[in-house]
């Protein structure tokens, strides 16, 4: 797969952009373990052009994580163009337009998946951003607003005509949010459309190497994007990569090594942000990581981890887990 001048190789697996998840510490780990591309947390165009500090900080990227994309969202053409120009100065490898976020505070204001209710505006924004920047522009969206409005097949052609260089499709409607099952058949139909020349990236419900292989072989997508399955599990990209490349599973990834990775994520976040927010960014991964699943009577320890307010306290809890379980 190729986007702009970026060559990704055969069957690449990408890390999805996720708010409060894809901070720099997590991105660096996912990249190390085989993510072909990573994305920042999504960035509000309105907040960016108002120079809101917490939003501007999301533009901080480093060469070690390349190729890296920065994703923006908004509902106004001028604001999105201005934001895209600001983002371009951060030198990402591409700019992705978020037309898929389903959460109410975004979609109900007409941004994210809310754009699925206003296709002419979506296309105006896309066309304007493509023309305003020199880096490749891509789009991430959903199948449609609801099951009664499955518009992705026609929409994909329209977005391609606006000049985007790749399209990521999450196999759910906005109305589904993250419930039910992702429908990959429509993603496959977009990919099979002879008029579609840009790469099609599939997203939704890919949590095992077997599912990843099935998505490539059955639906013919150029890449897959992994989101929630990566929480607390950055080595998932190595598991996928080894399986897709017909390598034997790496048996060195035992509990101790995985705990080392979680602790490293915490340290990176604290070092690059600050202690309070670094811990907050790590909590979601601690709550979701599979390494503690199935452990009897683990709930009090999990609660203690999620309540820890200093890195020293949290590391002490994790190290106690190592003594008990490693």
């Amino acid at each position: 797969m190729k986007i702009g001048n970026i060559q990704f190789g055969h069957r690449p697996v990408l890390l999805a952009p996720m708010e409060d998840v894809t901070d720099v510490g997590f991105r660096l780990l996912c990249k190390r373990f085989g993510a072909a591309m990573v994305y920042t947390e999504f960035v509000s165009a309105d907040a960016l052009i108002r120079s809101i500090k917490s939003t501007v900080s999301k533009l901080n990227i480093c060469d070690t994580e390349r190729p890296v994309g920065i994703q923006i969202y908004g509902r106004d053409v001028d604001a999105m163009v201005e934001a895209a120009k600001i983002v371009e100065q951060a030198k990402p490898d591409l700019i992705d337009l978020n037309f898929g976020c389903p959460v109410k505070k975004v979609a109900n204001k007409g941004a994210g998946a809310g754009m699925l209710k206003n296709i002419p505006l979506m296309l105006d924004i896309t066309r304007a951003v493509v023309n305003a920047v020199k880096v490749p522009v891509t789009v991430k969206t959903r199948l449609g607003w609801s099951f009664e409005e499955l518009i992705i097949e026609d929409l994909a052609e329209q977005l391609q005509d606006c000049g985007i260089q790749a399209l990521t499709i999450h196999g759910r409607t906005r109305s589904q949010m993250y419930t039910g099952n992702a429908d990959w058949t429509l993603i496959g139909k977009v990919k099979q459309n002879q008029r579609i020349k840009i790469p099609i990236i599939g997203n939704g419900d890919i949590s095992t190497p077997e599912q990843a292989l099935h998505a490539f072989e059955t639906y013919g997508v150029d890449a897959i994007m992994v989101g929630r399955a990566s929480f607390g599990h950055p080595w998932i990209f190595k598991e996928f990569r080894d399986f897709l490349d017909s390598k034997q599973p790496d048996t060195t990834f035992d509990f101790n090594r995985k705990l080392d990775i979680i602790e490293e994520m915490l340290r990176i976040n604290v070092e690059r942000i600050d202690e309070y927010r670094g811990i907050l960014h790590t909590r979601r991964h601690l709550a979701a990581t599979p390494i503690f699943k199935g452990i009897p009577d683990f709930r009090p320890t999990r609660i203690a981890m999620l309540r820890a307010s200093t890195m020293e306290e949290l590391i002490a809890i994790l190290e106690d887990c190592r003594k008990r379980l490693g």
Side-chain angles (χ1 to χ4, degrees), residues 207-226:
S207 59
T208 68
E210 292 79 9
Q211 290 171 334
L213 181 62
H214 177 76
F216 281 117
E217 292 185 338
T218 303
Y219 304 107
V221 291
D222 298 283
I224 60 170
M225 183 176 281
V226 177

Side-chain angles (χ1 to χ4, degrees), residues 259-324:
L259 190 61
D260 287 342
I261 294 165
I262 297 294
E263 290 184 0
E264 182 181 359
M265 187 196 314
L266 170 64
R267 292 190 176 96
I268 293 173
N269 284 336
V270 169
E271 178 183 341
R272 289 185 174 269
I273 313 173
D274 57 49
E275 185 170 46
Y276 174 74
R277 289 182 299 158
I279 290 172
L280 287 181
H281 272 249
T282 309
R283 279 181 182 171
R284 178 169 296 193
H285 299 286
L286 288 171
T289 183
I291 68 174
F292 300 122
K293 287 184 178 178
I295 298 172
D297 303 317
F298 191 73
R299 188 169 182 270
T301 302
R302 187 182 300 279
I303 292 173
M305 286 193 300
L306 300 181
R307 288 179 176 172
S309 59
T310 69
M311 186 169 75
E312 182 180 7
E313 179 185 5
L314 184 49
I315 290 291
I317 295 170
L318 293 173
E319 284 303 307
D320 183 62
C321 292
R322 189 191 303 275
K323 291 176 183 176
R324 290 160 47 198

Side-chain angles (χ1 to χ4, degrees), residues 35-46:
M37 185 166 184
V38 297
Y39 292 78
T40 64
E41 302 170 76
F42 53 80
V43 175
S44 163
D46 291 339

Side-chain angles (χ1 to χ4, degrees), residues 104-318:
K104 289 183 179 180
K105 68 178 182 179
V106 175
N108 285 1
K109 293 180 179 178
M115 280 290 164
L116 291 164
K117 300 288 282 185
N118 192 343
I119 300 304
L121 179 56
M122 179 195 291
L123 300 178
D124 285 345
I125 288 174
T126 304
R127 197 177 298 110
V129 171
V130 167
N131 291 333
V133 297
K134 295 181 180 178
V135 297
V137 176
T138 61
V139 163
K140 187 171 190 282
T141 190
R142 290 184 169 230
L143 304 179
W145 182 262
S146 67
F147 287 116
E148 291 72 38
E149 302 169 276
L150 298 174
I151 61 173
I152 191 60
E153 291 181 75
D154 290 336
L155 179 58
E157 291 191 19
Q158 293 172 297
L159 288 167
Q160 177 178 259
D161 291 345
C162 289
I164 66 169
Q165 297 193 38
L167 174 63
T168 301
I169 304 170
H170 182 103
R172 288 182 173 85
T173 64
R174 188 274 166 178
S175 297
Q176 281 182 276
M177 301 291 285
Y178 295 103
T179 63
N181 297 318
D183 181 359
W184 278 72
T185 58
L186 284 176
I187 300 175
K189 286 182 178 180
V190 172
K191 178 58 190 173
Q192 292 157 16
N193 182 345
Q194 294 300 307
R195 193 170 177 277
I196 294 294
K197 305 302 180 185
I198 59 175
I200 299 300
I201 303 163
N203 175 225
D205 293 349
I206 301 295
S207 59
T208 68
E210 292 79 9
Q211 290 171 334
L213 181 62
H214 177 76
F216 281 117
E217 292 185 338
T218 303
Y219 304 107
V221 291
D222 298 283
I224 60 170
M225 183 176 281
V226 177
R228 289 173 292 164
S230 69
F231 289 8
H233 193 179
W235 55 88
I236 194 173
F237 294 95
K238 177 173 173 54
E239 294 170 353
F240 281 25
R241 193 74 267 147
D242 287 351
F243 189 83
L244 292 170
D245 295 340
S246 300
K247 295 181 180 178
Q248 291 297 315
D250 189 342
T251 57
T252 67
F253 269 79
D254 58 10
F255 175 84
N256 280 311
R257 188 171 177 191
K258 292 172 182 176
L259 190 61
D260 287 342
I261 294 165
I262 297 294
E263 290 184 0
E264 182 181 359
M265 187 196 314
L266 170 64
R267 292 190 176 96
I268 293 173
N269 284 336
V270 169
E271 178 183 341
R272 289 185 174 269
I273 313 173
D274 57 49
E275 185 170 46
Y276 174 74
R277 289 182 299 158
I279 290 172
L280 287 181
H281 272 249
T282 309
R283 279 181 182 171
R284 178 169 296 193
H285 299 286
L286 288 171
T289 183
I291 68 174
F292 300 122
K293 287 184 178 178
I295 298 172
D297 303 317
F298 191 73
R299 188 169 182 270
T301 302
R302 187 182 300 279
I303 292 173
M305 286 193 300
L306 300 181
R307 288 179 176 172
S309 59
T310 69
M311 186 169 75
E312 182 180 7
E313 179 185 5
L314 184 49
I315 290 291
I317 295 170
L318 293 173

